Amino acid sequence: MTEQTVSNAVAVRDTGPAAMVEQYRDEYAALMPSHINADQWVRLAVGAIRGDKNLVLAAQNDVGVFLRELRTAARLGLEPGTEQFYLTPRKSKAHGGRKIIKGIVGYQGIVELIYRAGAVSSVIVETVRSNDSFQYTPGRDNRPVHGIDWFGAERGDLVGVYAYAVMKDGATSKVVVLNRAQVMQAKAKSDGAHSDFSPWNTNEEAMWLKTAARRLAKWVPTSAEYMREQLRARAEITAELPSDAPLPPQPTALTDEEPDEEDEAIEAEFVDEDEVA
């Protein structure tokens, strides 16, 4: 490789999508929850984009969209390019069918947001396979009883998924149980589910888990709202804040678009996996 070729390669690298993430490091850091390590977050984002040529090409088609999707991950405090927050190439009608980057909150991201709200001590999200045993009767059983033969034969096909949380006072949240048909209905609502790069095709079990976790998120705190109420209560006790004083504005766990209709009950208002308009 000639010196000129090397120089050109370095120039492309330094002006590409990954370099722009590093360039806007401070802006992303300002959006993140205080416990997030900004340098580590940026390294994950840069590693994700540089490690996948399909992501690079999609990001180059509209760097602004890519940076905006990362902004969502930063505001949520989720790790980009992981099962907390997937980065996927997705065809965009507004871009003439070319692929751009779409950020998708994964089930681990939803669970992380539930934990972060501070109301639960544990979150259980599990798939059920055809050779497992599963018992749960609403109104009779407090929690499902799920039996797995870890050392036996193949567990079989996915047949269902469930999720619940144990609150810090020991109570059990609503138990979400979905069968295959219900999960497939959720999949059918995603215009991007048939993309080769969709998590529905690259990590199907994780998307079953996400479907259940997302339903659970409607029944447990997942956003800053719970933490704001706790802050208000503590402040009232210590007389640091009058009971009717307004709280400072909080960053919303949202993209800049309006939430989908099906997401309105979810406090964290997660990014859906629909095709980009």
Side-chain angles (χ1 to χ4, degrees):
M1 181 179 291
T2 66
E3 182 177 345
Q4 183 64 37
T5 303
V6 171
S7 298
N8 290 341
V10 171
V12 170
R13 184 194 67 187
D14 290 345
T15 59
M20 294 194 71
V21 176
E22 295 172 327
Q23 177 182 341
Y24 288 106
R25 182 258 183 215
D26 291 344
E27 284 80 354
Y28 286 126
L31 293 170
M32 296 175 195
S34 59
H35 71 282
I36 299 297
N37 184 310
D39 292 329
Q40 179 179 338
W41 187 94
V42 168
R43 283 195 296 271
L44 283 169
V46 169
I49 197 68
R50 284 184 175 162
D52 188 327
K53 65 179 182 180
N54 292 306
L55 287 179
V56 172
L57 293 173
Q60 288 174 340
N61 285 333
D62 194 324
V63 176
V65 169
F66 167 58
L67 296 177
R68 188 189 70 197
E69 296 297 280
L70 286 184
R71 183 171 133 179
T72 299
R75 292 163 77 179
L76 289 169
L78 300 180
E79 299 176 344
T82 72
E83 288 190 351
Q84 287 190 4
F85 193 89
Y86 295 102
L87 296 174
T88 64
R90 188 63 51 80
K91 287 183 179 179
S92 168
K93 296 175 183 177
H95 293 74
R98 292 186 301 162
K99 290 184 174 69
I100 60 174
I101 295 294
K102 176 69 175 176
I104 303 169
V105 176
Y107 89 93
Q108 290 186 5
I110 297 175
V111 170
E112 168 66 16
L113 292 173
I114 292 174
Y115 273 119
R116 198 181 298 162
V120 308
S121 61
S122 62
V123 180
I124 293 83
V125 188
E126 295 286 349
T127 53
V128 181
R129 292 182 175 268
S130 57
N131 292 333
D132 297 348
S133 64
F134 183 81
Q135 295 287 333
Y136 177 66
T137 301
R140 184 196 71 184
D141 300 329
N142 190 33
R143 303 170 188 175
V145 177
H146 182 196
I148 302 172
D149 184 359
W150 294 109
F151 306 107
E154 182 68 28
R155 287 179 60 195
D157 296 332
L158 290 166
V159 295
V161 63
Y162 65 95
Y164 65 90
V166 179
M167 313 307 288
K168 286 194 171 179
D169 63 2
T172 301
S173 73
K174 177 180 175 63
V175 178
V176 173
V177 180
L178 302 172
N179 60 27
R180 170 175 282 275
Q182 290 169 311
V183 174
M184 291 301 101
Q185 288 174 1
K187 179 180 179 180
K189 292 180 180 179
S190 170
D191 292 336
H194 300 294
S195 165
D196 291 340
F197 304 103
S198 169
W200 280 108
N201 295 313
T202 61
N203 195 347
E204 182 184 18
E205 185 168 14
M207 293 305 291
W208 282 58
L209 294 167
K210 176 187 173 178
T211 303
R214 194 173 179 200
R215 301 286 178 89
L216 175 64
K218 298 180 180 182
W219 299 96
V220 295
T222 56
S223 74
E225 183 62 32
Y226 177 82
M227 290 182 280
R228 290 202 299 271
E229 290 303 318
Q230 295 300 303
L231 175 63
R232 184 189 294 277
R234 289 197 301 270
E236 289 176 4
I237 291 172
T238 58
E240 294 175 357
L241 181 71
S243 61
D244 60 348
L247 288 166
Q250 297 291 324
T252 177
L254 260 179
T255 57
D256 293 332
E257 294 80 20
E258 291 294 321
D260 291 336
E261 187 176 57
E262 106 178 73
D263 286 345
E264 288 179 353
I266 304 180
E267 290 185 8
E269 300 176 45
F270 306 111
V271 183
D272 201 359
E273 204 225 349
D274 294 336
E275 182 178 2
V276 181

